[in-house]
């Protein structure tokens, strides 16, 4: 049976979700996303520059028929602003799935948990498919899944930090109790970080800076695709138990006397 | 009359529809979403939405983001 990521009644072959920020230009964005194999891409909602509106549009480079566009609420510091942003995004006609993030602190970009819960509750009620960015807190993750979020997205480390999974034990607890997909969102730095998340049994990984900020974003996009696939396969295969002492791989019988 | 568009004061003709405003600004309506006084305006009703003095208009689109 094919191993697919099921999100809000839709199946995805790729378990890598990528952002579209920080690239040199839209052409590089397009190429990196294509190489990454991602089928879901995040975008931000921002004011049009009304004095120079004819600049190229991101969606000219990302066909919404080919990709699931996942608008985020990045930059929102209150539940109201996040809800407002989601309502606007929905009117753009790319579906009703949103990446909810309500930021609580400028320096760490950690989420404001009470505001995230408040916004999630309203958005679920309004029929949105809500994918919330949260700290690696099992209690919050549980509350979000119980209120009807389609996934929970605990951070590995602060957004853009590249530190990798800082608290694998909390992620394990979140996974153990999960009734919805768990997608590690933010803080991944390199391929092994993504592979570790997948080996632990996470359902997906969401990243932006790790690819866009690499010296060669296109090559890193490929590395991440392979890392997520390798990690997933290793998880499904079931790793050997760690032991302190050696176990020989070659037969002990028939050794020359 | 004076309205606010994306936080900036703008002088526009009276009785302008939203569709006309977008046209005047040179904005392709298919790539943006508009909010008028905090309410999202359905894309199909730009022609029948008329602006009045003091309106707050937000015109947004998708940009690169994580």
């Amino acid at each position: 049976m094919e191993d697919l990521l099921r999100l809000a009644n839709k199946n995805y072959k790729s378990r890598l979700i990528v952002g579209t920020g920080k690239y040199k230009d839209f052409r590089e964005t397009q190429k990196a996303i294509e190489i990454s194999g991602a089928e879901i891409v995040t975008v931000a909602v921002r004011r049009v520059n009304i004095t120079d509106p004819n600049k190229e549009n991101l969606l000219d480079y990302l066909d919404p028929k080919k990709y699931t566009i996942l608008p985020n609420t990045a930059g929102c510091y209150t539940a109201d602003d996040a809800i407002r942003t989601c309502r606007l995004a929905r009117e753009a006609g790319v579906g009703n799935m949103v990446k909810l993030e309500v930021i609580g602190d400028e320096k760490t970009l950690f989420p404001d948990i009470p505001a995230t819960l408040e916004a999630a509750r309203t958005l679920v009620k309004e029929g949105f498919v809500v994918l919330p960015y949260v700290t690696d807190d099992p209690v919050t993750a549980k509350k979000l899944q119980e209120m009807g979020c389609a996934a929970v997205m605990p951070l590995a480390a602060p957004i853009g930090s590249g530190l990798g999974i800082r608290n694998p034990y909390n992620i394990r607890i979140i996974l153990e109790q999960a009734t919805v997909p768990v997608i590690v969102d933010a803080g991944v730095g390199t391929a092994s970080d993504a592979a570790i998340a997948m080996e632990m049994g996470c359902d997906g990984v969401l990243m932006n800076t790790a690819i866009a900020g690499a010296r060669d974003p296109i090559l890193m996009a490929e590395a991440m695709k392979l890392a997520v696939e390798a990690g997933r396969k290793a998880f499904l295969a079931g790793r050997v138990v760690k032991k302190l002492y050696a176990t020989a791989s070659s037969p002990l019988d028939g050794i020359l006397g | 009359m004076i309205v606010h568009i994306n936080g900036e004061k703008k002088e526009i003709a009276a009785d302008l529809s939203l569709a006309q405003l977008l046209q005047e600004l040179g904005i392709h309506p298919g790539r943006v979403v508009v909010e008028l006084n905090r309410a999202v305006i359905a894309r199909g009703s730009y022609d029948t939405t008329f602006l009045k003095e003091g309106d707050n208009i937000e015109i947004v689109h998708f940009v690169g983001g994580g």
Side-chain angles (χ1 to χ4, degrees):
Chain A
M1 206 174 78
E2 203 175 5
D3 174 48
L4 300 167
L5 168 64
R6 191 163 176 80
L7 255 185
N9 299 321
K10 217 177 148 189
N11 292 326
Y12 298 92
K13 283 193 183 113
S14 173
R15 292 176 177 272
L16 174 60
I17 302 175
V18 293
T20 53
K22 299 184 184 171
Y23 286 98
K24 190 176 69 191
D25 51 37
F26 286 150
R27 212 162 285 281
E28 189 184 64
T29 314
Q30 186 183 46
K31 202 166 174 209
I33 288 167
E34 199 178 330
I35 301 272
S36 78
E39 294 162 288
I40 305 173
V41 299
T42 63
V43 298
V45 177
R46 290 292 179 271
R47 282 172 165 169
V48 171
N49 179 357
I50 54 165
T51 53
D52 184 15
N54 281 324
K55 275 193 195 156
E56 289 180 304
N57 189 288
L58 177 62
L59 290 191
D60 295 334
Y61 289 82
L62 294 173
D63 184 358
K65 286 189 208 88
K66 186 173 167 195
Y67 297 104
T68 296
I69 306 291
L70 178 60
N72 70 26
T73 62
C76 291
Y77 280 78
T78 65
D80 277 351
D81 280 348
I83 294 163
R84 186 182 175 197
T85 302
C86 290
R87 288 174 182 156
L88 280 163
R90 178 153 67 177
E91 191 54 34
V94 295
N96 59 357
M97 192 155 82
V98 290
K99 171 181 161 178
L100 172 65
E101 50 182 307
V102 187
I103 302 299
D105 174 56
E106 222 173 292
K107 201 169 171 184
T108 58
L109 296 179
F110 282 145
D112 180 323
I113 297 302
T116 302
L117 290 166
E118 185 192 336
R121 196 171 290 119
T122 302
L123 290 168
V124 167
K125 241 181 246 163
E126 291 188 12
F128 285 95
V129 172
V130 183
L131 314 184
Y133 154 75
V134 280
T135 21
D136 50 11
D137 169 28
V139 177
T140 305
K142 202 169 179 193
K143 283 186 184 171
L144 287 164
Q145 73 184 18
E146 280 169 0
M147 70 171 64
C149 289
V152 289
M153 304 208 295
L155 53 80
I159 295 172
S161 69
L163 289 172
I165 296 185
R166 292 298 77 211
N167 195 341
Y169 303 102
N170 274 25
I171 301 287
R172 261 173 64 183
I173 296 168
I174 291 171
L175 282 165
E176 232 178 71
Q177 64 179 25
T179 54
V180 295
V182 176
I183 297 165
V184 161
D185 175 12
V188 164
T190 188
S192 53
D193 296 333
I196 287 170
M198 296 310 296
E199 284 173 13
M200 290 176 66
C202 292
D203 297 276
V205 182
L206 193 162
M207 65 180 77
N208 190 153
T209 305
I211 297 175
R215 196 176 58 237
D216 184 341
I218 311 298
L219 192 56
M220 188 57 92
E222 190 184 1
M224 290 302 186
K225 172 195 163 81
L226 296 171
V228 167
E229 285 174 8
R232 178 65 184 176
K233 285 187 176 163
F235 167 71
L236 293 174
R239 60 154 300 148
V240 296
V241 176
K242 287 184 188 180
K243 289 180 297 189
L244 190 56
Y245 295 103
T247 317
S249 301
S250 307
L252 298 176
D253 290 341
I255 295 172
L256 294 178
Chain B
M1 64 181 184
I2 300 284
V3 295
H4 291 87
I5 308 173
N6 288 358
E8 283 176 41
K9 253 189 200 173
K10 272 258 182 195
E11 172 84 45
I12 61 164
D15 299 324
L16 215 58
S17 74
L18 202 47
Q20 287 168 319
L21 175 72
L22 291 177
Q23 197 178 5
E24 262 188 28
L25 292 170
I27 294 171
H28 185 316
R31 284 283 190 247
V32 298
V33 181
V34 181
E35 193 190 73
L36 177 59
N37 302 325
R38 290 230 158 202
V40 179
I41 304 299
R43 272 195 175 157
S45 54
Y46 291 173
D47 276 326
T48 52
T49 304
F50 291 90
L51 303 171
K52 54 183 195 315
E53 179 85 33
D55 274 346
N56 275 302
I57 304 147
E58 292 285 347
I59 307 169
V60 301
H61 62 163
F62 290 141
V63 301

